[in-house]
Amino acid sequence: MSIGSALNAALSGLAASSRAAATVSSNVANAMTEGYARRELALSARSVGDSGSGVRIDGERRIIDTALLADRRAADARAGAAAMNEAAIGRIAAAIGTPDEDGSLSERVARFEAALVAAAGRPEDEGRLGRVLDAAGALAGGLNGIAAAITREREEADRSIAGQVERLNTALEQVHMLNRDILRLQSGGQSSAALEDQRQSVIDAVADILPLRQMDRPGGAVVLYTHGGVMLLEARPARIGFEPAAVIDPQMSIANGALSGLSVNGRAVAAGAATLGSGTLAAAFDLRDNLAPQALGWVDGLAQDLVQRFAGPAADPSLPPGAAGLFTDAGAALAPDPAAGLAGRIAINSLVDPAAGGALWRLRDGLGAAAPGPAGHAAG
């Protein structure tokens, strides 16, 4: 070996050592940087034909455990979904309240029962009859409030879906642009590690929405698809579609077409966890279309029981068949198959409300009575 070849080999080794030290420094400095992946220097032997012997720097490699990265993104998605459900269910539970809480549904029922018992003991006392009316109104108002809280959760979930879809579309476009830039750099023999870090950060930022699955392609590009195999980014980013509702009423559902589903490039896709994975997007659809309607159904069941109990002949013999009792469906008698949202429509019959032209004595003598009966009559 000539002295020149020896010097070239030594210089290449020094250059490699210097580059390796810079790589280690970068790894240490960016240990807490979001999206940064540890680098390793790729080296190979340089043959005599490659301008002399020594060490050749082939570039830097990002060291990524793809399985661990996928698991972490899936965990982020599950955590986001759990947090969304917990917050929504917590707000609904707060609207219902606990039995020991003033103003809770249980407390309103107990107050109404107590007012009925007190009025039955002194039916001639209009003050006690007035307290029955107040307690009944408070109970109906409590049911109205719970129904409104559940509807707000559905509307919030619908708005959340719209926001998440916008974030996803933006992220897919950004990843597509980064794919293109990474391909250009790698084809020119330049390092694309910084852009790959940036791309990982973009994908990680939407990992709570759905755990995107990633497949590497030659040249440094990645393909993204959902848990259920719906392709979101290949040669071009897919366009995810969703139309938010201005307002939501209890009768609106995805089944009857009143609420929007999800589409990819104009084609409808299932919005459940089987397709999207266990992220906040699937959780928002589940809250809007399943959990909240189920909760409303339970409260509607209580409202229906109240309306029926006070409309039957056992509760008020003065009522003609089919007439509304003390509790009504927005002022009307209950239909055989009431529409969803009865808890939000339940109201006191105006016949017993002096403020609406009614009279308190009908609580004692019956809503169908033509005139007041004996003051001590307690069978109404």
Side-chain angles (χ1 to χ4, degrees):
M1 177 185 291
S2 67
I3 188 68
S5 297
L7 288 173
N8 282 336
L11 287 172
S12 69
L14 288 172
S17 297
S18 175
R19 182 72 178 273
T23 300
V24 171
S25 299
S26 178
N27 288 338
V28 173
N30 289 284
M32 301 300 293
T33 301
E34 194 77 24
Y36 182 85
R38 181 173 63 86
R39 270 74 154 153
E40 282 187 357
L41 204 61
L43 303 173
S44 62
R46 194 168 63 184
S47 65
V48 176
D50 294 331
S51 304
S53 60
V55 177
R56 181 173 56 211
I57 300 174
D58 295 324
E60 288 182 341
R61 290 196 302 265
R62 296 174 75 247
I63 307 304
I64 290 289
D65 187 329
T66 54
L68 185 61
L69 181 61
D71 287 346
R72 196 259 295 163
R73 287 172 178 168
D76 286 346
R78 288 193 296 270
M84 172 178 282
N85 283 336
E86 181 182 2
I89 292 171
R91 287 189 292 267
I92 294 173
I96 296 172
T98 56
D100 59 341
E101 186 179 5
D102 186 40
S104 69
L105 183 59
S106 298
E107 189 270 340
R108 290 171 192 253
V109 170
R111 197 191 325 159
F112 178 55
E113 290 178 346
L116 287 174
V117 171
R122 292 283 302 277
E124 76 284 358
D125 187 341
E126 287 219 348
R128 296 194 181 195
L129 295 178
R131 284 191 283 276
V132 171
L133 178 63
D134 291 343
L139 178 54
L143 289 168
N144 296 160
I146 295 169
I150 294 172
T151 297
R152 283 195 298 272
E153 292 303 323
R154 295 190 74 197
E155 291 175 339
E156 180 58 35
D158 194 74
R159 286 190 291 270
S160 174
I161 293 167
Q164 292 181 69
V165 166
E166 183 177 356
R167 281 177 58 198
L168 271 176
N169 281 325
T170 300
L172 291 175
E173 187 63 38
Q174 289 174 339
V175 173
H176 170 66
M177 299 294 289
L178 288 166
N179 270 349
R180 187 184 62 183
D181 292 341
I182 290 167
L183 283 167
R184 176 175 51 79
L185 287 176
Q186 291 198 6
S187 64
Q190 301 177 42
S191 174
S192 62
L195 290 183
E196 291 177 65
D197 286 344
Q198 186 179 344
R199 183 178 63 191
Q200 180 177 320
S201 294
V202 171
I203 298 173
D204 287 347
V206 293
D208 61 325
I209 296 177
L210 73 166
L212 290 169
R213 296 194 169 185
Q214 177 176 323
M215 182 186 301
D216 295 331
R217 286 291 176 86
V222 296
V223 170
L224 300 176
Y225 55 98
T226 72
H227 179 83
V230 178
M231 189 63 66
L232 297 180
L233 173 64
E234 196 170 16
R236 297 285 303 172
R239 185 68 186 175
I240 305 172
F242 177 78
E243 292 296 330
V247 294
I248 294 179
D249 65 53
Q251 287 80 45
M252 295 172 67
S253 70
I254 193 170
N256 62 23
L259 294 177
S260 173
L262 203 66
S263 66
V264 175
N265 291 332
R267 185 171 154 187
V269 297
T275 301
L276 302 179
S278 300
T280 55
L281 185 58
F285 272 106
D286 191 41
L287 176 61
R288 188 196 69 174
D289 300 328
N290 297 310
L291 296 180
Q294 286 174 7
L296 183 61
W298 298 330
V299 184
D300 279 353
L302 175 58
Q304 184 171 347
D305 183 65
L306 270 175
V307 174
Q308 290 173 336
R309 281 179 183 273
F310 287 87
D316 189 350
S318 70
L319 284 175
L326 174 61
F327 295 98
T328 68
D329 184 350
L334 188 67
D337 185 18
L342 176 61
R345 303 189 305 270
I346 190 171
I348 300 301
N349 197 317
S350 60
L351 290 174
V352 301
D353 186 1
L360 286 174
W361 57 262
R362 288 197 173 92
L363 287 170
R364 179 186 64 227
D365 299 310
L367 275 70
H377 181 63

